[in-house]
Amino acid sequence: DWSSDVCSSDLFPSHDTPVERLNAFRNTFFNISTNVNLIFKFVQGKSEKQNIETDVIVLNISENMNDGKTYHWFEYGVKFLSEFASYHKLNGIVKMDIDCAVDWNRFLNVFFPFLNENYYIGRVNDLTICGGASHCPPQDCNGFYDNCWIYMSGGWYSLNYNVAHSLIFNCKFPKQNIYGPEDLMVGKWIQNCFKNVSIFNVKNGDFFCHDNSITNNIIINFNNNQC
């Protein structure tokens, strides 16, 4: 997930440029060793500076952060996966930020095989982590039950295809509530549409590191001692 403001070079440490940042993510693919079919895309809305490279998806929306981009990314991902000839129950869609480093081998070989269908995996945000505001999850909630709900931090999280498909095509609430803190809204969508999720809470540093000090070198050579 990258936007016009995130791709401003003055936001990258060590003078990393936007082009170098995209290439750093591309280079991670040379180090992935797994039987899982991982498809990687950069996602942006329409803007004056369009990128026409084949791994860049330009959504049919204006570039934004909290005005529906996450919804339209999951909509795109669900439609994209639905065209696959072979279906696997663990198929999923990842949303991650451009200031996040991921050890894809660790995730795909250690975490992914043990996920349950209908998973929602990432770093759980409860009332305290959210900041205690009125729009945050209720106190003492650690899942989706009764009036409880949580959401995953925006640096990296993944929804099982079944869950994402239900949110996009089987429930009106998400499309009617696409505006607001984008990652928090995903939790609200699930609360209103699909409570039967398998939550996997992984701390920042298990296989990904979301931090504004992330450099291109860390993205390419990440290990879980760097976060």
Side-chain angles (χ1 to χ4, degrees), residues 44-220:
Q44 69 172 127
K46 294 179 178 178
S47 64
E48 294 181 1
K49 298 179 180 179
Q50 295 297 151
N51 194 314
I52 59 173
E53 297 183 67
T54 57
D55 58 359
V56 176
I57 301 301
V58 180
L59 301 173
N60 190 29
I61 57 172
S62 298
E63 179 56 52
N64 70 84
M65 182 173 290
N66 291 317
D67 291 336
K69 186 176 179 182
T70 293
Y71 174 86
H72 290 288
W73 161 238
F74 279 108
E75 181 183 45
Y76 171 87
V78 167
K79 291 178 179 178
F80 182 87
L81 285 178
S82 68
E83 297 175 358
F84 270 54
S86 60
Y87 171 78
H88 192 282
K89 66 180 181 180
L90 292 186
N91 279 352
I93 303 168
V94 171
K95 181 267 179 184
M96 64 175 289
D97 291 340
I98 205 165
D99 56 350
C100 185
V102 181
D103 184 341
W104 288 108
N105 284 314
R106 179 168 168 77
F107 169 62
L108 294 171
N109 293 315
V110 177
F111 287 84
F112 187 79
F114 296 99
L115 295 179
N116 298 327
E117 193 173 358
N118 299 338
Y119 60 77
Y120 182 28
I121 180 173
R123 178 181 180 240
V124 168
N125 280 18
D126 57 12
L127 176 66
T128 300
I129 296 176
C130 176
S134 59
H135 62 265
C136 293
Q139 188 170 3
D140 299 325
C141 286
N142 56 19
F144 296 90
Y145 49 88
D146 300 328
N147 293 320
C148 271
W149 60 280
I150 50 86
Y151 69 99
M152 301 300 182
S153 293
W156 190 104
Y157 61 87
S158 181
L159 278 176
N160 179 245
Y161 172 82
N162 289 339
V163 180
H165 186 278
S166 291
L167 295 179
I168 299 301
F169 291 115
N170 298 341
C171 187
K172 295 180 179 179
F173 183 87
K175 192 169 186 178
Q176 295 171 344
N177 294 271
I178 65 176
Y179 304 109
E182 54 182 348
D183 307 306
L184 181 148
M185 294 307 296
V186 174
K188 296 294 292 182
W189 300 344
I190 294 173
Q191 180 196 27
N192 284 272
C193 301
F194 197 105
K195 290 188 177 182
N196 187 28
V197 294
S198 298
I199 296 172
F200 290 82
N201 182 18
V202 289
K203 67 180 181 179
N204 188 17
D206 272 352
F207 61 81
F208 70 91
C209 183
H210 183 218
D211 189 270
N212 59 12
S213 64
I214 291 294
T215 65
N216 295 339
N217 182 61
I218 291 176
I219 289 172
I220 297 171

